[in-house]
Amino acid sequence: MEVRVLRRVLEKNDRAADEVRELLSAHGVRAINLLGGAGCGKTALLERLLPILRPALRCGVLEGDLATTLDAERIAAIGVPVTQLLTEGGCHLTAPHVRRALDSLPLDKRDLVISENVGNPICPANFDLGEHARLAALSVAEGADKPQKYPLLFKDAAGVVITKLDLLPHVSFDLHRVTLDLGRLNPAARLFLTSAERGHGLAGLAAWFRGMARGNDDATGPRGGRAILN
Amino acid sequence: MEVRVLRRVLEKNDRAADEVRELLSAHGVRAINLLGGAGCGKTALLERLLPILRPALRCGVLEGDLATTLDAERIAAIGVPVTQLLTEGGCHLTAPHVRRALDSLPLDKRDLVISENVGNPICPANFDLGEHARLAALSVAEGADKPQKYPLLFKDAAGVVITKLDLLPHVSFDLHRVTLDLGRLNPAARLFLTSAERGHGLAGLAAWFRGMARGNDDATGPRGGRAILN
């Protein structure tokens, strides 16, 4: 019975995800689902990235959280249309959340919608939000064992962004191991090394976002691991 | 129907949690549930803490993860009995996991069982594992907004441990804000400031573990926030 209910939840989610895709397609808008653990720096990355993408790329943001509108306030402060989605205890965004929120964004004036998922390296990966690509974030402070320990987060991602690279001198983080593990887990993923604090690696990531917004799934960026291994 | 199934899952969990408590009680063993996001430093904390607690306190550890036995190997390396619990995609430990695993620990030779939950600041908080106390971990790298954004993690914790304090000079983390928010959310919680890397704050935390093992719920340690605010 539990399995049957789970299947029904997922079916309901998938129907809404299809609706999201149809609605976005009707407006020529693309969507990215940004996932990662709590405090891995997703919002800080968007705060630095969105001004680089503008004005060529008109972005809208959906912020997923259990509580507070703190993240939406940070995005609104840089002048980007944003809607806060509160899951009220829920550990991930769902496609129905996104479907309802799209009515609040001026879709005919957007090129790209970025959904920042709830900070959780597990559950969000199980739910299709109608996105065209997933971007998984991992901070160097979280540790190099995370691709092995949380494979779901990384295995379907079109891009993986390593964040907080400025902390590298102060933490024990084996970048070589991470790139090897990501290469095994998801060899097609593009890998980006960034520091929102220092503004490092943002140009390459911005180029990938631009490619994604053009519907180019083979967007600019080194393939998983290879950029570092070669 | 979904609500009914969820209720049934929780009821099943609570029955197993009661069994865990009875089994522990029969052996005079106490249990702590250690929760926190992925990469917040739970295992590193145990690696430093367990040798301090030994030999006065005979600990056993259950390591919850989606995949790999990496964490159990780290605990085994310091000579503490440990069992790895793999959730196979599940985002949290459950009481049935713990109930089964207790058979693998020599309970008649243990004083305290520590369950390190799956790295996830949300779902684990909803499941009673039959523990006597919860310890919630938050690293300074995750950011000071986390008590507000993930209240479930902190509101039922007997203790809150701030980890990776050695990173404080390198990150933007408002400790004053965290202590105020924790004080509002859970004024009875004891607060510990630690760095496993530097060995800071471990003596105070060890005293709290010893108190917990003695069944003293009013164990040593400053109350949430006040230690810093006064």
Side-chain angles (χ1 to χ4, degrees), chain B residues 14 25-26 31-32 48 62 101-102 110 120 122 125 131-132 135 137 172 176 205:
Chain B
D14 287 349
S25 178
I32 287 177
R48 294 298 300 260
L62 305 179
L102 285 183
R110 296 300 101 191
N120 176 341
I122 308 167
E131 72 267 16
H132 298 93
L135 180 65
S172 158
H176 184 70
L205 187 59

Side-chain angles (χ1 to χ4, degrees), chain B residues 30-79:
Chain B
R30 303 268 296 176
I32 287 177
N33 184 358
L34 173 58
L35 308 94
C40 74
K42 298 181 292 300
T43 315
L45 195 68
L46 291 181
E47 283 179 309
R48 294 298 300 260
L49 194 68
L50 292 167
I52 297 172
L53 296 175
R54 173 175 65 189
L57 205 58
R58 299 167 303 171
C59 294
V61 174
L62 305 179
E63 283 290 343
D65 277 297
L66 277 85
T68 83
T69 55
L70 293 169
D71 285 0
E73 288 162 27
R74 290 168 63 182
I75 300 301
I78 54 172

Side-chain angles (χ1 to χ4, degrees), chain B residues 87-130:
Chain B
T87 62
E88 288 168 9
C91 51
H92 56 88
L93 287 180
T94 64
H97 284 134
V98 173
R99 173 64 195 84
R100 284 192 298 274
L102 285 183
D103 293 332
S104 68
L105 287 179
L107 276 190
D108 48 350
K109 292 178 186 155
R110 296 300 101 191
D111 302 304
L112 187 68
V113 171
I114 304 167
S115 295
E116 183 188 329
N117 223 308
V118 178
N120 176 341
I122 308 167
C123 318
N126 294 316
F127 290 81
D128 179 5
L129 303 185

Side-chain angles (χ1 to χ4, degrees), chain A residues 1-2 4-5 8-9 12 37-40 42-43 64-68 70-71 74 89-92 116 118-123 126 139 141-143 145-146 148-152 164 166-167 170-172 177 197, chain B residues 1-2 4-5 8-9 12 37-40 42-43 64-68 70-71 74 89-92 116 118-123 126 139 141-143 145-146 148-152 164 166-167 170-172 177 197:
Chain A
M1 181 167 167
E2 288 163 28
R4 221 166 64 210
V5 171
R8 224 158 65 169
V9 168
K12 190 176 148 195
C40 75
K42 299 182 290 301
T43 314
D65 277 297
L66 278 84
T68 83
L70 292 169
D71 285 0
R74 289 168 64 182
C91 51
H92 57 86
E116 184 188 329
V118 177
N120 176 341
I122 308 167
C123 318
N126 293 317
S139 91
E142 292 177 88
D145 54 355
K146 296 305 171 286
Q148 277 191 51
K149 288 181 63 185
Y150 302 87
L152 291 175
K164 307 193 188 187
D166 51 288
L167 292 180
H170 312 294
V171 296
S172 159
R177 172 183 170 184
E197 178 68 23
Chain B
M1 179 165 168
E2 287 163 30
R4 221 166 65 210
V5 171
R8 226 160 63 171
V9 168
K12 190 176 148 195
C40 74
K42 298 181 292 300
T43 315
D65 277 297
L66 277 85
T68 83
L70 293 169
D71 285 0
R74 290 168 63 182
C91 51
H92 56 88
E116 183 188 329
V118 178
N120 176 341
I122 308 167
C123 318
N126 294 316
S139 91
E142 290 176 88
D145 54 355
K146 296 306 171 285
Q148 276 192 49
K149 289 182 63 184
Y150 301 88
L152 291 175
K164 306 193 190 188
D166 51 287
L167 292 180
H170 311 294
V171 296
S172 158
R177 172 182 170 185
E197 177 69 23

Side-chain angles (χ1 to χ4, degrees), chain A residues 150-203:
Chain A
Y150 302 87
L152 291 175
L153 175 59
F154 302 98
K155 78 177 183 45
D156 295 325
V160 175
V161 58
I162 309 292
T163 60
K164 307 193 188 187
L165 222 68
D166 51 288
L167 292 180
L168 207 48
H170 312 294
V171 296
S172 159
F173 184 84
D174 183 343
L175 199 48
H176 185 70
R177 172 183 170 184
V178 167
T179 55
L180 282 175
D181 287 342
L182 287 174
R184 268 189 289 265
L185 202 58
N186 182 353
R190 304 305 180 99
L191 184 69
F192 302 95
L193 305 179
T194 66
S195 163
E197 178 68 23
R198 302 270 171 85
H200 288 169
L202 299 178

